[in-house]
Amino acid sequence: INAEYMGPFLIGLLSMIRPSRLALSAVFIPALYFACKYIHKLVRLDYVFLSQPKPSRSEKAASPINILDFLLVCGRLKAVKRTGWVDHNIILPESVGDHMWRMSLLALVCREDGTDMNKCVKMSAVHDLAEALAGDITPTEKSGITKQQKQKLEYDAMMTILSNLSPSSAPVCPQKLTAIGREIYDLWQEYEDCASSEAKLVKQFDKLEMIIQAYEYECSQGVNLQEFYTCCQGKFTNPAIQQIASELLNRRQQLSLHSDPEKNQV
C-alpha cells in the first residue's frame, strides 16, 4: 500500500470494527499503520539500491594489495634526484619527492580567486609522478630527448604506475583505469597540457619551489644558480607568488653571489 493511502485505508478498516473491540483496535491500528510505513520505506530503499547500475570492473576500488604496490612504485620518487641540481654538482641534491612535497604545501597556503585550491594540492602531489619510472628528463639540448619522446616515455610510465591500482597488473589505457587511477591520470594530463586555471597556477608553484630551493643551495653551498632565476622571468602572474618571489630576491641580494643586480629578478 502506498504511504499516502495508508491513513484512509486504516480509518475505513477501523469503521468496520464492532464497538466492543474498539478499545483493542485503538492500540492495534496505529501499530499497524507505523509498521506499514516502516515496511514501505524498506521496500523503497531496496528498490533504489537494486536499481543502481553495478560498478564495472574498472570502477571497483583498488584492493589493499593494489594500493601497496602503487605506493611502493611512487616511493621511488624519494630516490630520483632532480637533474638540474645534479648537473650543477649540488651536494645532496633534493629528490623529485622533496620537490612535490613543498609544491603541495604551496598549494595549501597560496590562494587564487576562482581556482579550486583542493584540486591544486592534488595536482601538485602527482604532477611529476611519471618520473618514478621515467626519471627527471631535462630539456632536449641537455638530454638529447625530444619533447615528443619525453611525452611518450612519461605517458607509458604513468600507465605502468597506475596499472598497480587496477585489478590486472598489466599496463592499461586511461579508459580502463579504476576511478582513482583515472582521477590521478586526468590531473597529471591536465597539468601537462596546462589546460586549466589550476594547471597554470601549479606551473607557477613549480617554478617558485625551484627558485626557493636554488636560494637554499646558494645559502648553504656558496654557488651561483642564476640560470634558474632567469628561466622564471615573466612566469609569475599570481600576486601572492609575485610577492613571495620578490621577497626571496631581496634576501638573495644580500648574498653577494652575483655581480649584476639587474639579473636578480623574475
Side-chain angles (χ1 to χ4, degrees):
I1 301 172
N2 196 303
E4 61 183 297
Y5 301 119
M6 285 183 186
F9 169 76
L10 292 174
I11 292 173
L13 181 63
L14 187 61
S15 66
M16 293 186 292
I17 298 175
R18 289 184 295 178
S20 60
R21 297 188 178 179
L22 278 178
L24 178 61
S25 300
V27 176
F28 172 73
I29 295 299
L32 178 61
Y33 172 76
F34 288 110
C36 288
K37 286 191 67 175
Y38 179 72
I39 293 171
H40 181 261
K41 288 183 179 180
L42 290 180
V43 170
R44 285 187 59 83
L45 284 173
D46 189 50
Y47 171 78
V48 168
F49 285 120
L50 289 176
S51 63
Q52 295 297 318
K54 293 183 179 180
S56 65
R57 184 176 179 83
S58 63
E59 292 174 334
K60 292 181 180 178
S63 71
I65 294 175
N66 295 145
I67 293 173
L68 177 58
D69 289 339
F70 170 74
L71 293 175
L72 289 172
V73 174
C74 294
R76 299 182 188 183
L77 289 168
K78 296 180 180 182
V80 178
K81 302 303 180 183
R82 296 260 282 167
T83 304
W85 308 132
V86 174
D87 289 346
H88 283 75
N89 300 311
I90 295 299
I91 301 170
L92 298 176
E94 71 166 343
S95 70
V96 175
D98 296 330
H99 167 67
M100 293 166 68
W101 167 74
R102 187 152 57 183
M103 271 186 66
S104 299
L105 289 183
L106 277 169
L108 279 174
V109 299
C110 291
R111 290 288 182 268
E112 184 171 86
D113 292 340
T115 301
D116 185 344
M117 298 311 301
N118 288 331
K119 184 178 181 181
C120 288
V121 173
K122 292 181 179 181
M123 191 176 290
S124 297
V126 304
H127 80 286
D128 279 340
L129 195 57
E131 295 180 13
L133 296 182
D136 184 15
I137 302 172
T138 54
T140 303
E141 59 269 18
K142 293 185 178 181
S143 65
I145 298 175
T146 67
K147 182 178 181 180
Q148 292 72 23
Q149 290 173 327
K150 179 178 184 291
Q151 290 174 338
K152 179 64 166 58
L153 287 170
E154 292 184 341
Y155 171 84
D156 290 344
M158 284 298 290
M159 290 301 98
T160 301
I161 292 168
L162 295 177
S163 70
N164 288 285
L165 291 174
S166 301
S168 171
S169 59
V172 293
C173 63
Q175 292 74 22
K176 293 184 179 180
L177 292 170
T178 58
I180 185 61
R182 185 57 190 259
E183 180 184 6
I184 293 172
Y185 171 79
D186 287 345
L187 287 166
W188 174 80
Q189 191 62 64
E190 188 176 319
Y191 174 83
E192 287 294 304
D193 296 338
C194 202
S196 65
S197 60
E198 289 80 13
K200 291 179 175 64
L201 183 57
V202 174
K203 290 278 187 181
Q204 294 181 63
F205 291 151
D206 183 62
K207 295 293 187 185
L208 178 60
E209 200 288 322
M210 180 183 69
I211 61 173
I212 291 174
Q213 186 61 68
Y215 171 75
E216 290 175 330
Y217 288 144
E218 288 178 329
C219 290
S220 63
Q221 301 186 30
V223 293
N224 188 331
L225 299 171
Q226 177 59 44
E227 69 177 85
F228 292 92
Y229 300 88
T230 301
C231 74
C232 292
Q233 290 181 2
K235 301 293 185 181
F236 300 141
T237 59
N238 176 274
I241 292 177
Q242 290 176 332
Q243 293 174 15
I244 295 170
S246 177
E247 175 60 23
L248 180 71
L249 295 180
N250 288 338
R251 298 185 186 190
R252 183 177 184 246
Q253 190 69 41
Q254 308 306 315
L255 298 178
S256 301
L257 293 171
H258 41 83
S259 56
D260 186 358
E262 292 185 1
K263 290 184 178 181
N264 187 40
Q265 55 184 321
V266 292

